[in-house]
Structures are given as structure tokens and as C-alpha cells.
Amino acid sequence: MNRPEPVQVIKQRRDATLDRLIGGVPYIRFLGIQFDRRGDELTGILPYADKLIGNPSLPAIHGGVTAAFLEVTAIIELSWGMIWEDMEAGKFADDADFRPKLPKTIDFTVDYLRSGLPRDAYARARINRSGRRYASVHVEAWQDNRSRLFAQGTGHFLMPQRDG
């Protein structure tokens, strides 16, 4: 009987895979978007920075930054779900050059519900449908209170071809 892997090994593998997933996209780094991982659940985090403000007289987070944050959260959630089984099997644990192909946006609609305030923002994506070629995702973003969304989005994505 095989012994289960130590918890730290599993956490390190998941964290390293997530770092590779988001590290390959310069725009994610530019905006400072991070992801908090709890098991297979991801929460996007957009730490506040002055460069994110679009209207200094309000001040409010730029609408394009809000849309990008929602879209990035959707794409990373889709990718995370797509590679989960391979990652858990340790398929690319030793491959430091591993960069998964990301889904491509077909369309993305944003509902701006209120101004994004000059503070940290959070987002979670829910996959409505994910097939071999196409996926539909809904994303919600909030700041201080999860029940008070400041934006939400719905997107459709072309899924990358799977190897094997």
C-alpha cells in the first residue's frame, strides 16, 4: 500500500503550479493580481495601488482595470480546473518550464454595479459550462463585503486543445 504524500509536498506542488500559471502573463504581474488558494478554490486579489485609479476626483478604480481583473480571474479559474487532475498526479511537478495554454476570450461582458473604491478588491469565478472546446464563466468582484458586489462579468472562452 502506498503512503499518501505529506501535506507540505501537496501544498508546494499546488502553489508552484499556480505561480507558473499566473507568472507567464506580464499583464497579471503589472496589475499586481494575486490568487489565494484554498484547496481547489481560488480567490483573485487585486491589491490597491495608485496606478489603478481611473478617476482621481472620486477616486475610483479604472473600469478597464476592473474588467481585466474579472477576465483574468475567469481565465485562471478555467485553467486551474483544466490542469487540476494532471497537477494532482504530479504530471508536471519536475518541469520548471511548464506553462499551460490559457483559454482565449470569445466575449466578455462586465456589469459595473458601483465604483471600485481605492482599496483591495477580490473576485471569484464560477464555471457555468466547460467542455472540450468552449466554456462559460461568471465572475463576481467585491471589496469590503462579499454581498456588496462592485462588478460582475460573464465570459465565453475557447478552450485550448488538450495534449494526449
Side-chain angles (χ1 to χ4, degrees):
M1 184 160 107
N2 291 341
R3 293 181 55 130
E5 289 182 289
V7 172
Q8 284 310 109
V9 171
I10 294 169
K11 284 182 177 181
Q12 286 173 343
R13 180 176 60 237
R14 290 175 181 172
D15 289 343
T17 303
L18 183 58
D19 287 345
R20 283 188 232 144
L21 187 62
I22 62 176
V25 183
Y27 194 56
I28 293 174
R29 291 193 313 266
F30 172 76
L31 291 177
I33 298 172
Q34 305 164 4
F35 285 88
D36 180 47
R37 184 193 58 74
R38 301 283 182 239
D40 68 341
E41 184 179 79
L42 297 177
T43 301
I45 303 168
L46 179 66
Y48 174 75
D50 287 340
K51 70 181 179 184
L52 304 177
I53 296 296
N55 185 342
S57 64
L58 289 178
I61 295 176
H62 191 282
V65 170
T66 299
F69 178 48
L70 292 169
E71 187 175 1
V72 163
T73 301
I75 289 170
I76 297 302
E77 179 70 31
L78 276 173
S79 299
W80 188 245
M82 187 177 65
I83 65 172
W84 180 263
E85 287 181 23
D86 289 342
M87 175 191 58
E88 288 299 284
K91 189 172 182 179
F92 20 75
D94 298 329
D95 185 359
D97 295 327
F98 168 72
R99 293 270 188 268
K101 295 176 185 165
L102 299 175
K104 300 208 180 325
T105 305
I106 296 170
D107 64 56
F108 198 79
T109 304
V110 178
D111 297 324
Y112 298 97
L113 306 173
R114 60 180 44 85
S115 293
L117 301 172
R119 56 185 64 134
D120 294 353
Y122 308 91
R124 282 212 185 120
R126 180 183 71 247
I127 300 170
N128 295 326
R129 180 197 185 283
S130 181
R132 289 183 335 175
R133 298 189 51 131
Y134 165 89
S136 173
V137 181
H138 180 77
V139 190
E140 297 179 337
W142 69 96
Q143 290 184 303
D144 297 323
N145 183 336
R146 179 116 201 269
S147 65
R148 283 187 42 94
L149 303 179
F150 76 94
Q152 63 184 6
T154 301
H156 302 99
F157 300 87
L158 182 63
M159 299 301 287
Q161 294 290 321
R162 299 286 312 247
D163 296 331

PDB file of all heavy atoms in Angstrom, residues 45-79:
ATOM      1  N   ILE A  45      -7.192  38.414  -6.072  1.00  0.00           N
ATOM      2  CA  ILE A  45      -6.966  39.570  -5.210  1.00  0.00           C
ATOM      3  C   ILE A  45      -6.279  40.650  -6.046  1.00  0.00           C
ATOM      4  O   ILE A  45      -5.255  40.393  -6.672  1.00  0.00           O
ATOM      5  CB  ILE A  45      -6.081  39.217  -3.998  1.00  0.00           C
ATOM      6  CG1 ILE A  45      -6.701  38.072  -3.205  1.00  0.00           C
ATOM      7  CG2 ILE A  45      -5.840  40.445  -3.114  1.00  0.00           C
ATOM      8  CD1 ILE A  45      -5.769  37.459  -2.178  1.00  0.00           C
ATOM      9  N   LEU A  46      -6.880  41.836  -6.035  1.00  0.00           N
ATOM     10  CA  LEU A  46      -6.298  42.994  -6.706  1.00  0.00           C
ATOM     11  C   LEU A  46      -5.900  43.984  -5.612  1.00  0.00           C
ATOM     12  O   LEU A  46      -6.725  44.770  -5.149  1.00  0.00           O
ATOM     13  CB  LEU A  46      -7.308  43.630  -7.671  1.00  0.00           C
ATOM     14  CG  LEU A  46      -6.843  44.873  -8.428  1.00  0.00           C
ATOM     15  CD1 LEU A  46      -5.707  44.529  -9.391  1.00  0.00           C
ATOM     16  CD2 LEU A  46      -8.005  45.506  -9.172  1.00  0.00           C
ATOM     17  N   PRO A  47      -4.628  43.920  -5.159  1.00  0.00           N
ATOM     18  CA  PRO A  47      -4.200  44.854  -4.106  1.00  0.00           C
ATOM     19  C   PRO A  47      -4.245  46.292  -4.620  1.00  0.00           C
ATOM     20  O   PRO A  47      -3.867  46.565  -5.757  1.00  0.00           O
ATOM     21  CB  PRO A  47      -2.756  44.436  -3.805  1.00  0.00           C
ATOM     22  CG  PRO A  47      -2.619  43.065  -4.375  1.00  0.00           C
ATOM     23  CD  PRO A  47      -3.562  43.006  -5.534  1.00  0.00           C
ATOM     24  N   TYR A  48      -4.705  47.188  -3.766  1.00  0.00           N
ATOM     25  CA  TYR A  48      -4.803  48.589  -4.173  1.00  0.00           C
ATOM     26  C   TYR A  48      -3.423  49.161  -4.512  1.00  0.00           C
ATOM     27  O   TYR A  48      -2.439  48.910  -3.833  1.00  0.00           O
ATOM     28  CB  TYR A  48      -5.444  49.443  -3.074  1.00  0.00           C
ATOM     29  CG  TYR A  48      -5.400  50.893  -3.449  1.00  0.00           C
ATOM     30  CD1 TYR A  48      -6.265  51.395  -4.412  1.00  0.00           C
ATOM     31  CD2 TYR A  48      -4.443  51.739  -2.912  1.00  0.00           C
ATOM     32  CE1 TYR A  48      -6.192  52.713  -4.812  1.00  0.00           C
ATOM     33  CE2 TYR A  48      -4.366  53.070  -3.306  1.00  0.00           C
ATOM     34  CZ  TYR A  48      -5.237  53.544  -4.256  1.00  0.00           C
ATOM     35  OH  TYR A  48      -5.156  54.846  -4.662  1.00  0.00           O
ATOM     36  N   ALA A  49      -3.400  49.943  -5.571  1.00  0.00           N
ATOM     37  CA  ALA A  49      -2.217  50.729  -5.951  1.00  0.00           C
ATOM     38  C   ALA A  49      -2.731  51.994  -6.637  1.00  0.00           C
ATOM     39  O   ALA A  49      -3.755  51.961  -7.336  1.00  0.00           O
ATOM     40  CB  ALA A  49      -1.316  49.938  -6.900  1.00  0.00           C
ATOM     41  N   ASP A  50      -2.039  53.104  -6.459  1.00  0.00           N
ATOM     42  CA  ASP A  50      -2.464  54.376  -7.061  1.00  0.00           C
ATOM     43  C   ASP A  50      -2.612  54.275  -8.577  1.00  0.00           C
ATOM     44  O   ASP A  50      -3.485  54.935  -9.157  1.00  0.00           O
ATOM     45  CB  ASP A  50      -1.465  55.491  -6.730  1.00  0.00           C
ATOM     46  CG  ASP A  50      -1.567  55.938  -5.280  1.00  0.00           C
ATOM     47  OD1 ASP A  50      -2.610  55.695  -4.632  1.00  0.00           O
ATOM     48  OD2 ASP A  50      -0.589  56.533  -4.784  1.00  0.00           O
ATOM     49  N   LYS A  51      -1.798  53.457  -9.226  1.00  0.00           N
ATOM     50  CA  LYS A  51      -1.849  53.351 -10.691  1.00  0.00           C
ATOM     51  C   LYS A  51      -3.162  52.754 -11.192  1.00  0.00           C
ATOM     52  O   LYS A  51      -3.479  52.852 -12.373  1.00  0.00           O
ATOM     53  CB  LYS A  51      -0.673  52.521 -11.213  1.00  0.00           C
ATOM     54  CG  LYS A  51      -0.762  51.041 -10.875  1.00  0.00           C
ATOM     55  CD  LYS A  51       0.440  50.282 -11.390  1.00  0.00           C
ATOM     56  CE  LYS A  51       0.349  48.801 -11.009  1.00  0.00           C
ATOM     57  NZ  LYS A  51       1.533  48.080 -11.415  1.00  0.00           N
ATOM     58  N   LEU A  52      -3.969  52.154 -10.316  1.00  0.00           N
ATOM     59  CA  LEU A  52      -5.229  51.533 -10.716  1.00  0.00           C
ATOM     60  C   LEU A  52      -6.386  52.530 -10.778  1.00  0.00           C
ATOM     61  O   LEU A  52      -7.455  52.193 -11.288  1.00  0.00           O
ATOM     62  CB  LEU A  52      -5.593  50.403  -9.742  1.00  0.00           C
ATOM     63  CG  LEU A  52      -4.547  49.310  -9.554  1.00  0.00           C
ATOM     64  CD1 LEU A  52      -5.020  48.296  -8.515  1.00  0.00           C
ATOM     65  CD2 LEU A  52      -4.217  48.629 -10.871  1.00  0.00           C
ATOM     66  N   ILE A  53      -6.166  53.731 -10.277  1.00  0.00           N
ATOM     67  CA  ILE A  53      -7.228  54.735 -10.220  1.00  0.00           C
ATOM     68  C   ILE A  53      -7.427  55.365 -11.602  1.00  0.00           C
ATOM     69  O   ILE A  53      -6.485  55.815 -12.239  1.00  0.00           O
ATOM     70  CB  ILE A  53      -6.896  55.832  -9.181  1.00  0.00           C
ATOM     71  CG1 ILE A  53      -6.852  55.221  -7.785  1.00  0.00           C
ATOM     72  CG2 ILE A  53      -7.910  56.980  -9.243  1.00  0.00           C
ATOM     73  CD1 ILE A  53      -8.162  54.649  -7.288  1.00  0.00           C
ATOM     74  N   GLY A  54      -8.688  55.379 -12.046  1.00  0.00           N
ATOM     75  CA  GLY A  54      -9.010  55.985 -13.334  1.00  0.00           C
ATOM     76  C   GLY A  54      -9.534  57.396 -13.179  1.00  0.00           C
ATOM     77  O   GLY A  54      -9.266  58.265 -13.989  1.00  0.00           O
ATOM     78  N   ASN A  55     -10.288  57.643 -12.113  1.00  0.00           N
ATOM     79  CA  ASN A  55     -10.839  58.966 -11.872  1.00  0.00           C
ATOM     80  C   ASN A  55     -10.372  59.444 -10.502  1.00  0.00           C
ATOM     81  O   ASN A  55     -10.953  59.082  -9.480  1.00  0.00           O
ATOM     82  CB  ASN A  55     -12.372  58.930 -11.930  1.00  0.00           C
ATOM     83  CG  ASN A  55     -12.994  60.300 -11.798  1.00  0.00           C
ATOM     84  OD1 ASN A  55     -12.351  61.249 -11.344  1.00  0.00           O
ATOM     85  ND2 ASN A  55     -14.259  60.404 -12.187  1.00  0.00           N
ATOM     86  N   PRO A  56      -9.326  60.287 -10.472  1.00  0.00           N
ATOM     87  CA  PRO A  56      -8.791  60.723  -9.190  1.00  0.00           C
ATOM     88  C   PRO A  56      -9.735  61.620  -8.388  1.00  0.00           C
ATOM     89  O   PRO A  56      -9.601  61.739  -7.175  1.00  0.00           O
ATOM     90  CB  PRO A  56      -7.515  61.495  -9.544  1.00  0.00           C
ATOM     91  CG  PRO A  56      -7.414  61.509 -11.015  1.00  0.00           C
ATOM     92  CD  PRO A  56      -8.570  60.780 -11.596  1.00  0.00           C
ATOM     93  N   SER A  57     -10.733  62.233  -9.036  1.00  0.00           N
ATOM     94  CA  SER A  57     -11.632  63.109  -8.291  1.00  0.00           C
ATOM     95  C   SER A  57     -12.632  62.304  -7.457  1.00  0.00           C
ATOM     96  O   SER A  57     -13.164  62.830  -6.482  1.00  0.00           O
ATOM     97  CB  SER A  57     -12.350  64.071  -9.233  1.00  0.00           C
ATOM     98  OG  SER A  57     -13.184  63.363 -10.115  1.00  0.00           O
ATOM     99  N   LEU A  58     -12.892  61.054  -7.803  1.00  0.00           N
ATOM    100  CA  LEU A  58     -13.833  60.257  -7.000  1.00  0.00           C
ATOM    101  C   LEU A  58     -13.184  59.707  -5.728  1.00  0.00           C
ATOM    102  O   LEU A  58     -13.819  59.823  -4.680  1.00  0.00           O
ATOM    103  CB  LEU A  58     -14.424  59.125  -7.832  1.00  0.00           C
ATOM    104  CG  LEU A  58     -15.420  59.524  -8.913  1.00  0.00           C
ATOM    105  CD1 LEU A  58     -15.894  58.316  -9.681  1.00  0.00           C
ATOM    106  CD2 LEU A  58     -16.584  60.282  -8.350  1.00  0.00           C
ATOM    107  N   PRO A  59     -12.107  59.094  -5.637  1.00  0.00           N
ATOM    108  CA  PRO A  59     -11.347  58.334  -6.637  1.00  0.00           C
ATOM    109  C   PRO A  59     -11.986  56.951  -6.856  1.00  0.00           C
ATOM    110  O   PRO A  59     -12.590  56.405  -5.946  1.00  0.00           O
ATOM    111  CB  PRO A  59      -9.973  58.198  -6.005  1.00  0.00           C
ATOM    112  CG  PRO A  59     -10.228  58.220  -4.534  1.00  0.00           C
ATOM    113  CD  PRO A  59     -11.467  59.064  -4.334  1.00  0.00           C
ATOM    114  N   ALA A  60     -11.813  56.416  -8.058  1.00  0.00           N
ATOM    115  CA  ALA A  60     -12.397  55.116  -8.394  1.00  0.00           C
ATOM    116  C   ALA A  60     -11.422  54.309  -9.240  1.00  0.00           C
ATOM    117  O   ALA A  60     -10.663  54.869 -10.039  1.00  0.00           O
ATOM    118  CB  ALA A  60     -13.702  55.314  -9.161  1.00  0.00           C
ATOM    119  N   ILE A  61     -11.461  53.001  -9.057  1.00  0.00           N
ATOM    120  CA  ILE A  61     -10.630  52.103  -9.875  1.00  0.00           C
ATOM    121  C   ILE A  61     -11.079  52.227 -11.333  1.00  0.00           C
ATOM    122  O   ILE A  61     -12.275  52.277 -11.623  1.00  0.00           O
ATOM    123  CB  ILE A  61     -10.754  50.645  -9.385  1.00  0.00           C
ATOM    124  CG1 ILE A  61     -10.182  50.523  -7.965  1.00  0.00           C
ATOM    125  CG2 ILE A  61     -10.041  49.684 -10.331  1.00  0.00           C
ATOM    126  CD1 ILE A  61     -10.354  49.140  -7.349  1.00  0.00           C
ATOM    127  N   HIS A  62     -10.136  52.284 -12.225  1.00  0.00           N
ATOM    128  CA  HIS A  62     -10.414  52.401 -13.659  1.00  0.00           C
ATOM    129  C   HIS A  62     -11.274  51.222 -14.116  1.00  0.00           C
ATOM    130  O   HIS A  62     -11.050  50.084 -13.729  1.00  0.00           O
ATOM    131  CB  HIS A  62      -9.086  52.426 -14.425  1.00  0.00           C
ATOM    132  CG  HIS A  62      -9.243  52.806 -15.848  1.00  0.00           C
ATOM    133  ND1 HIS A  62      -9.696  51.928 -16.805  1.00  0.00           N
ATOM    134  CD2 HIS A  62      -9.012  53.982 -16.493  1.00  0.00           C
ATOM    135  CE1 HIS A  62      -9.728  52.537 -17.970  1.00  0.00           C
ATOM    136  NE2 HIS A  62      -9.319  53.789 -17.810  1.00  0.00           N
ATOM    137  N   GLY A  63     -12.240  51.511 -14.972  1.00  0.00           N
ATOM    138  CA  GLY A  63     -13.133  50.469 -15.484  1.00  0.00           C
ATOM    139  C   GLY A  63     -12.400  49.382 -16.242  1.00  0.00           C
ATOM    140  O   GLY A  63     -12.769  48.206 -16.189  1.00  0.00           O
ATOM    141  N   GLY A  64     -11.355  49.759 -16.966  1.00  0.00           N
ATOM    142  CA  GLY A  64     -10.572  48.765 -17.702  1.00  0.00           C
ATOM    143  C   GLY A  64      -9.819  47.832 -16.767  1.00  0.00           C
ATOM    144  O   GLY A  64      -9.665  46.646 -17.047  1.00  0.00           O
ATOM    145  N   VAL A  65      -9.356  48.369 -15.649  1.00  0.00           N
ATOM    146  CA  VAL A  65      -8.685  47.541 -14.645  1.00  0.00           C
ATOM    147  C   VAL A  65      -9.685  46.564 -14.037  1.00  0.00           C
ATOM    148  O   VAL A  65      -9.395  45.376 -13.868  1.00  0.00           O
ATOM    149  CB  VAL A  65      -8.039  48.420 -13.545  1.00  0.00           C
ATOM    150  CG1 VAL A  65      -7.545  47.575 -12.379  1.00  0.00           C
ATOM    151  CG2 VAL A  65      -6.906  49.251 -14.125  1.00  0.00           C
ATOM    152  N   THR A  66     -10.895  47.051 -13.745  1.00  0.00           N
ATOM    153  CA  THR A  66     -11.941  46.189 -13.193  1.00  0.00           C
ATOM    154  C   THR A  66     -12.270  45.064 -14.162  1.00  0.00           C
ATOM    155  O   THR A  66     -12.334  43.893 -13.773  1.00  0.00           O
ATOM    156  CB  THR A  66     -13.208  47.019 -12.882  1.00  0.00           C
ATOM    157  OG1 THR A  66     -12.891  48.020 -11.913  1.00  0.00           O
ATOM    158  CG2 THR A  66     -14.328  46.145 -12.368  1.00  0.00           C
ATOM    159  N   ALA A  67     -12.452  45.400 -15.433  1.00  0.00           N
ATOM    160  CA  ALA A  67     -12.762  44.396 -16.441  1.00  0.00           C
ATOM    161  C   ALA A  67     -11.625  43.381 -16.584  1.00  0.00           C
ATOM    162  O   ALA A  67     -11.867  42.168 -16.665  1.00  0.00           O
ATOM    163  CB  ALA A  67     -13.037  45.064 -17.787  1.00  0.00           C
ATOM    164  N   ALA A  68     -10.397  43.867 -16.586  1.00  0.00           N
ATOM    165  CA  ALA A  68      -9.238  42.973 -16.704  1.00  0.00           C
ATOM    166  C   ALA A  68      -9.153  42.043 -15.502  1.00  0.00           C
ATOM    167  O   ALA A  68      -8.872  40.846 -15.653  1.00  0.00           O
ATOM    168  CB  ALA A  68      -7.951  43.781 -16.841  1.00  0.00           C
ATOM    169  N   PHE A  69      -9.398  42.565 -14.312  1.00  0.00           N
ATOM    170  CA  PHE A  69      -9.377  41.756 -13.092  1.00  0.00           C
ATOM    171  C   PHE A  69     -10.409  40.635 -13.173  1.00  0.00           C
ATOM    172  O   PHE A  69     -10.110  39.473 -12.875  1.00  0.00           O
ATOM    173  CB  PHE A  69      -9.625  42.662 -11.884  1.00  0.00           C
ATOM    174  CG  PHE A  69      -9.671  41.960 -10.561  1.00  0.00           C
ATOM    175  CD1 PHE A  69      -8.695  41.040 -10.191  1.00  0.00           C
ATOM    176  CD2 PHE A  69     -10.685  42.236  -9.661  1.00  0.00           C
ATOM    177  CE1 PHE A  69      -8.740  40.402  -8.956  1.00  0.00           C
ATOM    178  CE2 PHE A  69     -10.737  41.616  -8.430  1.00  0.00           C
ATOM    179  CZ  PHE A  69      -9.764  40.687  -8.077  1.00  0.00           C
ATOM    180  N   LEU A  70     -11.620  40.957 -13.610  1.00  0.00           N
ATOM    181  CA  LEU A  70     -12.661  39.939 -13.748  1.00  0.00           C
ATOM    182  C   LEU A  70     -12.275  38.890 -14.805  1.00  0.00           C
ATOM    183  O   LEU A  70     -12.411  37.684 -14.576  1.00  0.00           O
ATOM    184  CB  LEU A  70     -13.995  40.589 -14.124  1.00  0.00           C
ATOM    185  CG  LEU A  70     -14.653  41.462 -13.065  1.00  0.00           C
ATOM    186  CD1 LEU A  70     -15.819  42.248 -13.677  1.00  0.00           C
ATOM    187  CD2 LEU A  70     -15.131  40.623 -11.895  1.00  0.00           C
ATOM    188  N   GLU A  71     -11.786  39.354 -15.953  1.00  0.00           N
ATOM    189  CA  GLU A  71     -11.432  38.440 -17.041  1.00  0.00           C
ATOM    190  C   GLU A  71     -10.264  37.538 -16.651  1.00  0.00           C
ATOM    191  O   GLU A  71     -10.284  36.326 -16.914  1.00  0.00           O
ATOM    192  CB  GLU A  71     -11.101  39.236 -18.303  1.00  0.00           C
ATOM    193  CG  GLU A  71     -10.879  38.360 -19.518  1.00  0.00           C
ATOM    194  CD  GLU A  71     -10.665  39.170 -20.784  1.00  0.00           C
ATOM    195  OE1 GLU A  71     -10.661  40.421 -20.740  1.00  0.00           O
ATOM    196  OE2 GLU A  71     -10.480  38.528 -21.836  1.00  0.00           O
ATOM    197  N   VAL A  72      -9.246  38.100 -16.014  1.00  0.00           N
ATOM    198  CA  VAL A  72      -8.101  37.302 -15.564  1.00  0.00           C
ATOM    199  C   VAL A  72      -8.561  36.250 -14.559  1.00  0.00           C
ATOM    200  O   VAL A  72      -8.147  35.080 -14.628  1.00  0.00           O
ATOM    201  CB  VAL A  72      -7.003  38.213 -14.954  1.00  0.00           C
ATOM    202  CG1 VAL A  72      -6.024  37.422 -14.111  1.00  0.00           C
ATOM    203  CG2 VAL A  72      -6.274  38.960 -16.052  1.00  0.00           C
ATOM    204  N   THR A  73      -9.425  36.623 -13.630  1.00  0.00           N
ATOM    205  CA  THR A  73      -9.925  35.671 -12.639  1.00  0.00           C
ATOM    206  C   THR A  73     -10.657  34.521 -13.329  1.00  0.00           C
ATOM    207  O   THR A  73     -10.468  33.353 -12.973  1.00  0.00           O
ATOM    208  CB  THR A  73     -10.837  36.378 -11.615  1.00  0.00           C
ATOM    209  OG1 THR A  73     -10.091  37.413 -10.965  1.00  0.00           O
ATOM    210  CG2 THR A  73     -11.354  35.404 -10.580  1.00  0.00           C
ATOM    211  N   ALA A  74     -11.459  34.825 -14.336  1.00  0.00           N
ATOM    212  CA  ALA A  74     -12.174  33.784 -15.080  1.00  0.00           C
ATOM    213  C   ALA A  74     -11.203  32.850 -15.801  1.00  0.00           C
ATOM    214  O   ALA A  74     -11.339  31.619 -15.739  1.00  0.00           O
ATOM    215  CB  ALA A  74     -13.136  34.422 -16.083  1.00  0.00           C
ATOM    216  N   ILE A  75     -10.220  33.416 -16.473  1.00  0.00           N
ATOM    217  CA  ILE A  75      -9.259  32.613 -17.242  1.00  0.00           C
ATOM    218  C   ILE A  75      -8.426  31.717 -16.319  1.00  0.00           C
ATOM    219  O   ILE A  75      -8.209  30.536 -16.617  1.00  0.00           O
ATOM    220  CB  ILE A  75      -8.361  33.526 -18.105  1.00  0.00           C
ATOM    221  CG1 ILE A  75      -9.183  34.110 -19.257  1.00  0.00           C
ATOM    222  CG2 ILE A  75      -7.137  32.774 -18.628  1.00  0.00           C
ATOM    223  CD1 ILE A  75      -8.478  35.214 -20.032  1.00  0.00           C
ATOM    224  N   ILE A  76      -7.976  32.251 -15.200  1.00  0.00           N
ATOM    225  CA  ILE A  76      -7.162  31.457 -14.279  1.00  0.00           C
ATOM    226  C   ILE A  76      -8.015  30.357 -13.645  1.00  0.00           C
ATOM    227  O   ILE A  76      -7.558  29.224 -13.483  1.00  0.00           O
ATOM    228  CB  ILE A  76      -6.490  32.354 -13.216  1.00  0.00           C
ATOM    229  CG1 ILE A  76      -5.515  33.335 -13.880  1.00  0.00           C
ATOM    230  CG2 ILE A  76      -5.792  31.517 -12.152  1.00  0.00           C
ATOM    231  CD1 ILE A  76      -4.392  32.690 -14.697  1.00  0.00           C
ATOM    232  N   GLU A  77      -9.256  30.652 -13.300  1.00  0.00           N
ATOM    233  CA  GLU A  77     -10.158  29.621 -12.753  1.00  0.00           C
ATOM    234  C   GLU A  77     -10.367  28.493 -13.754  1.00  0.00           C
ATOM    235  O   GLU A  77     -10.301  27.314 -13.403  1.00  0.00           O
ATOM    236  CB  GLU A  77     -11.502  30.244 -12.367  1.00  0.00           C
ATOM    237  CG  GLU A  77     -12.495  29.241 -11.809  1.00  0.00           C
ATOM    238  CD  GLU A  77     -12.133  28.713 -10.428  1.00  0.00           C
ATOM    239  OE1 GLU A  77     -11.510  29.444  -9.648  1.00  0.00           O
ATOM    240  OE2 GLU A  77     -12.489  27.544 -10.139  1.00  0.00           O
ATOM    241  N   LEU A  78     -10.599  28.839 -15.015  1.00  0.00           N
ATOM    242  CA  LEU A  78     -10.762  27.817 -16.057  1.00  0.00           C
ATOM    243  C   LEU A  78      -9.491  26.972 -16.202  1.00  0.00           C
ATOM    244  O   LEU A  78      -9.561  25.746 -16.284  1.00  0.00           O
ATOM    245  CB  LEU A  78     -11.077  28.467 -17.407  1.00  0.00           C
ATOM    246  CG  LEU A  78     -12.516  28.820 -17.684  1.00  0.00           C
ATOM    247  CD1 LEU A  78     -12.606  29.615 -18.981  1.00  0.00           C
ATOM    248  CD2 LEU A  78     -13.376  27.568 -17.760  1.00  0.00           C
ATOM    249  N   SER A  79      -8.366  27.632 -16.250  1.00  0.00           N
ATOM    250  CA  SER A  79      -7.093  26.929 -16.416  1.00  0.00           C
ATOM    251  C   SER A  79      -6.812  26.029 -15.224  1.00  0.00           C
ATOM    252  O   SER A  79      -6.337  24.903 -15.391  1.00  0.00           O
ATOM    253  CB  SER A  79      -5.950  27.939 -16.581  1.00  0.00           C
ATOM    254  OG  SER A  79      -6.169  28.728 -17.712  1.00  0.00           O
TER     255      SER A  79
END
